[in-house]
Amino acid sequence: MCVSNFFLKTTFLGGLLWFIGFTVYLAFVPWSQKDFPKSDVAIVFTGGNNRIFLGLELLEKEALQKLYISGVKKGTRLEDILKQYSFQKIDTSKIILGEEATNTLGNIKETLKWQKQDGVNNLVIITSNFHIPRVKCISSFKGLKNVVFYPVFSQNRVFSIKRLHIYIREYHKTLYFLLKELP
């Protein structure tokens, strides 16, 4: 009887803490898109819908001087990316593909390398809105400075179980990183 009562209380407390943490995570997720911040350089973290498209669109409109795309599969050609997204009138000398990153931590490391190598001080990271809390967290731990985060939203913004699953999964990844990095 005592063991089951302890188990129920512990489970309830754990669930409550998880829910509070998830609520805090959601508070850090951007839910709207403001005007694109003034910057000469943007870095797109691959992995989500519309991220690369937005970066290319900004470059085409000359809102950027340089676009880095982090996390591109090895062997991917820039011409294939431009063709996939139907961009023909872009100065390809302004686009740099990064093949080193295979995850968010790798994206941050690649960004730090570019920032140091090219002397980029103020840059914008373009990634999905649900990804931004974890990217901010990792950026802070790894010393990435002078960064603005710009959210990309999926075309379908209607609530669904699939969308909820994406937010919960990203929350768990953020928790995992924090638990691993904190002393």
Side-chain angles (χ1 to χ4, degrees), residues 121-137:
N121 286 324
N122 296 312
L123 60 92
V124 177
I125 291 178
I126 299 171
T127 191
S128 298
N129 72 318
F130 61 81
H131 195 217
I132 287 180
R134 183 160 57 107
V135 173
K136 281 183 173 181
C137 183

Side-chain angles (χ1 to χ4, degrees), residues 53-120:
F53 179 83
L54 177 63
L56 292 172
E57 185 178 53
L58 290 166
L59 190 62
E60 185 179 62
K61 290 179 179 176
E62 298 181 358
L64 298 172
Q65 296 303 312
K66 193 174 242 181
L67 177 67
Y68 296 88
I69 303 175
S70 176
V72 175
K73 288 181 186 172
K74 290 193 187 312
T76 301
R77 297 176 332 144
L78 179 55
E79 296 77 27
D80 296 334
I81 292 173
L82 295 175
K83 187 177 177 183
Q84 177 184 351
Y85 292 100
S86 302
F87 283 93
Q88 286 96 28
K89 297 179 181 179
I90 286 187
D91 182 354
T92 57
S93 68
K94 295 181 176 186
I95 302 172
I96 294 163
L97 302 181
E99 297 179 330
E100 294 173 19
T102 57
N103 56 32
T104 304
L105 181 57
N107 291 134
I108 299 297
K109 287 178 180 178
E110 203 163 45
T111 300
L112 283 164
K113 182 183 95 175
W114 284 330
Q115 197 176 39
K116 190 176 199 176
Q117 164 186 302
D118 296 347
V120 177

